Amino acid sequence: MARMEHGRRAGMLTDTAGVTAIEYGLIAALVAIAAIAAWQLLGTNLSTVFNSIASGV
């Protein structure tokens, strides 16, 4: 019985699938934050360009 419990604990210590999933999740969140910031900046600049074109026409 103790041997089976030790085997389970050893398996948990070597299982890194959850850690890898968390790392990928953090990377995806950082990429999403960067993309949202870039889109907002680009959207503001495009709005200014379109407004100046509209006022020129």
Side-chain angles (χ1 to χ4, degrees):
M1 181 87 122
R3 184 175 212 149
M4 192 182 331
E5 185 66 31
H6 176 68
R8 265 191 235 151
R9 265 189 263 149
M12 280 194 249
L13 292 176
T14 59
D15 184 18
T16 59
V19 175
T20 303
I22 291 170
E23 289 172 352
Y24 282 134
L26 289 172
I27 291 169
L30 289 174
V31 169
I33 290 169
I36 290 169
W39 287 329
Q40 285 182 343
L41 180 63
L42 182 65
T44 303
N45 290 340
L46 282 178
S47 177
T48 304
V49 170
F50 286 137
N51 286 335
S52 66
I53 291 171
S55 66
V57 172

